[in-house]
Amino acid sequence: MIESLRNKHISIFDTTLRDGEQTPGVSLTSDEKLLIAQQLDKLGVDIIEAGFPMSSDGEAASVKRIVDAGLNLQVCGLARVIKSDIDTCLDCGVDMVHTFVSTSDVQRISTIKKSREEVYKMAIDAVEYIKDHGAKCMFSAMDATRTDVDYLINIYKGVEAAHCDIINVPDTVGVGVPSATCKLISEIASNVKIPIDVHCHNDFGLAVANSLAAVEAGASQVQVTINGLGERAGNADLAETVMGLHSLYGAKTNVNTRYIVETSHLVERLTEVRMPPTMPIVGENAFAHESGIHTHGVLVRSDTFEPGVMTPEMVGHRRRIVLGKHAGKHAVKQSLECAGLHPTDAQLNEIMKRVKDIGDKGKRVTDADLYAIAESIIGTATKGEQAIVLKEVSVMTGNIITPTATVKAIVNGKERICANVGVGPVDAALQTVTCILDDYKVKLRDFRIEAISGGSDALAEVLIGVEDEKGRAVSARARMRILSWHPWKRLWLR
């Protein structure tokens, strides 16, 4: 760890609701924005950029609604160095106004068509106007990393003299590298005394690295988004930045890291931007192990093949042992013993061979596959009566029909019939199954359909994974035929 940063407090400025919503294809309702703001408050971020109020009446109303929600965090609104923008932020009652103007020659000449002197005056006037109205002010020199350094420092000195509270150094097009970022922030820090914030974009995958380098050089606040959302390739990801600060640098933030995965899943659901399984910290595979060497190690001691300074529990995640062609005996044996199956060494060797055969064919090995293989080799089925016998299931969906599912099943010897609706046919079916199971709560962890053959009578494979409240998960697969593919992307299944 870098000793100079140990126990140093770094402020977390989240811009999911502003820059994050600028992710192509993302548009949040006022209710969804409030829900995310409340979750960010629960997470413990210091400041949220609730939006750009001048962009629309609806945006202004959403920002004001968040301001009026009584959250513990500070609420910031974005404004150009234009009085009407600033007035709209002030009318919303924000705690801080974040005002910005392009300072690089390429943006200044090509977009706002102003001279350096004009931009300097616009910045000073905007800061003074905000401070005269009693709000905190953050000033951003947009495209700072492509701005002439002497001019950049001059404009930061100017806004400091105008009593700006904090300056932001944005890597607007993501061209910074850690060494250059460190040098730039160090130079700015040696010339101004007010706090420095950084806003890094991820065009070259360096947003988090640049943010951490900026903190090393003297920045005391970083701007982040949940799941790294934002323009183009996005912004610095909150989870990676915060856990890097905590675990690698020993720095402190107000973030309650146990809610990181929970927050990630909420934003993923509301924005419909799916996270890859390999996403650091929050991805499904972040703490998953398949390799025999790795699984053996983590079953004995978790930090043999995990960072150690960061555990899944710290971020609200869980460790998973995944079965596949790289699986080792220890992982397979543990999975079987958890299901009440105890093979001999010879039987375990045969089970391993069949598991690897499935993996060699490019197939995923589910829990149901493993149990079926083990029971056939051991020569005995799992003892006890079948708790659930499915008798009938039907799902209705369409343009004017709310997705509805009906399920009839024998549960612990008693027939039960339930019907429920959902946001889609799969969700409706899961809601109905949950109803059938009464108080036994399960959630869908994984669902995918993979085509096996083509044509109008195509064969597909469905993989499903569910998890209960205690984090116990099970996966299974089945095959089906797709009878037709509707032009509006409705699947008719048999």
Side-chain angles (χ1 to χ4, degrees), residues 11-75:
S11 179
I12 303 300
F13 182 109
D14 186 278
T15 183
T16 301
L17 295 176
R18 199 277 300 171
D19 206 334
E21 199 192 16
Q22 290 175 206
T23 302
V26 171
S27 181
L28 299 168
T29 67
S30 179
D31 288 343
E32 290 169 338
K33 287 188 174 187
L34 179 59
L35 189 60
I36 291 173
Q38 291 169 333
Q39 181 66 29
L40 292 171
D41 196 37
K42 177 182 178 181
L43 183 62
V45 303
D46 300 282
I47 308 171
I48 59 169
E49 194 162 45
F52 188 0
M54 192 62 182
S55 62
S56 73
D57 291 341
E59 183 80 347
S62 292
V63 172
K64 189 173 191 318
R65 188 179 178 192
I66 291 170
V67 169
D68 294 340
L71 304 177
N72 293 316
L73 48 70
Q74 294 182 59
V75 180

Side-chain angles (χ1 to χ4, degrees), residues 7 96 101-102 106 115 168 172 203-204 208 210 258 285 297 331 372:
N7 296 322
M96 173 184 285
V101 65
S102 295
V106 62
S115 67
N168 172 241
T172 305
D203 297 75
F204 286 90
V208 172
N210 283 325
R258 291 176 300 165
N285 291 353

Side-chain angles (χ1 to χ4, degrees), residues 104-321:
S104 68
D105 288 344
V106 62
Q107 287 194 2
R108 179 179 54 78
I109 295 169
S110 301
T111 59
I112 60 175
K113 304 184 188 307
K114 300 289 184 181
S115 67
R116 286 187 175 185
E117 293 72 24
E118 288 174 311
V119 166
Y120 180 89
K121 185 176 186 306
M122 291 166 69
I124 303 304
D125 289 348
V127 171
E128 289 178 342
Y129 187 75
I130 293 166
K131 296 306 296 179
D132 287 345
H133 285 78
K136 292 182 180 179
C137 177
M138 175 161 62
F139 170 76
S140 284
M142 191 157 71
D143 206 17
T145 50
R146 294 194 297 176
T147 299
D148 175 76
V149 175
D150 291 337
Y151 176 63
L152 182 67
I153 291 174
N154 186 48
I155 203 167
Y156 281 143
K157 283 183 175 180
V159 296
E160 179 182 35
H163 306 294
C164 185
D165 295 283
I166 184 169
I167 55 172
N168 172 241
V169 184
D171 184 17
T172 305
V173 294
V175 294
V177 297
S179 57
T181 298
C182 193
K183 181 180 179 182
L184 176 62
I185 299 301
S186 295
E187 193 160 355
I188 294 170
S190 66
N191 282 276
V192 299
K193 303 305 178 187
I194 58 175
I196 299 173
D197 168 83
V198 290
H199 176 100
C200 299
H201 275 267
N202 206 37
D203 297 75
F204 286 90
L206 295 171
V208 172
N210 283 325
S211 298
L212 296 177
V215 171
E216 286 187 35
S220 58
Q221 181 170 288
V222 289
Q223 293 196 14
V224 294
T225 60
I226 301 300
N227 298 338
L229 296 175
E231 289 275 4
R232 304 181 312 280
N235 294 270
D237 174 65
L238 180 143
E240 296 171 35
T241 304
V242 167
M243 293 312 297
L245 288 170
H246 285 204
S247 300
L248 302 178
Y249 288 83
K252 303 294 183 182
T253 74
N254 288 329
V255 171
N256 188 336
T257 61
R258 291 176 300 165
Y259 298 124
I260 282 179
V261 170
E262 177 183 301
T263 306
S264 171
H265 287 174
L266 172 68
V267 172
E268 180 180 36
R269 177 171 62 84
L270 295 179
T271 62
E272 298 185 356
V273 177
R274 304 303 173 201
M275 293 300 102
T278 52
M279 183 86 170
I281 318 294
V282 300
E284 184 68 15
N285 291 353
F287 297 94
H289 306 270
E290 180 182 323
S291 164
I293 296 172
H294 285 227
T295 55
H296 184 195
V298 297
L299 287 172
V300 174
R301 178 172 166 172
S302 62
D303 63 355
T304 53
F305 287 98
E306 286 179 2
V309 291
M310 177 181 68
T311 66
E313 294 77 18
M314 288 170 65
V315 297
H317 216 321
R318 53 184 169 69
R319 183 175 295 107
R320 289 192 306 125
I321 303 300

Side-chain angles (χ1 to χ4, degrees), residues 290 320-325 327 331-332 335-336 339 341 351 354-359 362-375 445-448 450 461-466 473-479:
E290 180 182 323
R320 289 192 306 125
I321 303 300
V322 180
L323 302 176
K325 68 178 181 180
V332 172
S335 296
L336 291 173
L341 298 168
I351 292 168
R354 295 198 191 180
V355 166
K356 291 179 179 292
D357 285 345
I358 294 175
K363 301 295 182 182
R364 175 177 169 180
V365 181
T366 67
D367 297 310
D369 293 330
L370 176 63
Y371 302 153
I373 291 169
E375 288 174 352
R445 192 188 71 187
D446 187 22
F447 178 80
R448 66 187 73 179
E450 299 176 355
E461 187 170 65
V462 179
L463 294 110
I464 186 170
V466 294
V474 65
S475 58
R477 77 170 78 228
R479 287 189 174 185

Side-chain angles (χ1 to χ4, degrees), residues 295-494:
T295 55
H296 184 195
V298 297
L299 287 172
V300 174
R301 178 172 166 172
S302 62
D303 63 355
T304 53
F305 287 98
E306 286 179 2
V309 291
M310 177 181 68
T311 66
E313 294 77 18
M314 288 170 65
V315 297
H317 216 321
R318 53 184 169 69
R319 183 175 295 107
R320 289 192 306 125
I321 303 300
V322 180
L323 302 176
K325 68 178 181 180
H326 304 107
K329 285 185 180 180
H330 290 83
V332 172
K333 185 178 181 180
Q334 184 191 61
S335 296
L336 291 173
E337 288 178 347
C338 287
L341 298 168
H342 302 279
T344 64
D345 287 344
Q347 289 169 340
L348 182 60
N349 288 335
E350 181 59 25
I351 292 168
M352 288 294 301
K353 180 179 181 302
R354 295 198 191 180
V355 166
K356 291 179 179 292
D357 285 345
I358 294 175
D360 284 338
K361 294 174 182 177
K363 301 295 182 182
R364 175 177 169 180
V365 181
T366 67
D367 297 310
D369 293 330
L370 176 63
Y371 302 153
I373 291 169
E375 288 174 352
S376 68
I377 291 173
I378 295 173
T380 176
T382 304
K383 295 181 180 179
E385 296 183 359
Q386 188 172 345
I388 302 171
V389 180
L390 180 64
K391 305 293 289 185
E392 182 181 321
V393 60
S394 63
V395 181
M396 295 180 294
T397 186
N399 276 352
I400 58 175
I401 301 173
T402 301
T404 306
T406 303
V407 174
K408 179 192 290 186
I410 306 298
V411 181
N412 293 325
K414 296 181 180 180
E415 183 176 275
R416 288 180 57 83
I417 302 175
C418 286
N420 217 325
V421 298
V423 295
V426 176
D427 183 56
L430 186 64
Q431 296 295 337
T432 308
V433 169
T434 302
C435 174
I436 283 282
L437 297 178
D438 203 11
D439 293 329
Y440 188 74
K441 303 299 182 184
V442 296
K443 64 179 180 180
L444 188 66
R445 192 188 71 187
D446 187 22
F447 178 80
R448 66 187 73 179
I449 299 176
E450 299 176 355
I452 296 174
S453 62
S456 61
D457 195 25
L459 184 65
E461 187 170 65
V462 179
L463 294 110
I464 186 170
V466 294
E467 182 178 338
D468 69 8
E469 292 175 305
K470 296 181 180 179
R472 295 176 298 189
V474 65
S475 58
R477 77 170 78 228
R479 287 189 174 185
M480 68 181 184
R481 288 200 178 276
I482 303 174
L483 296 186
S484 64
W485 183 263
H486 195 282
W488 294 306
K489 296 185 179 179
R490 289 197 214 104
L491 281 174
W492 299 86
L493 309 175
R494 183 171 69 196

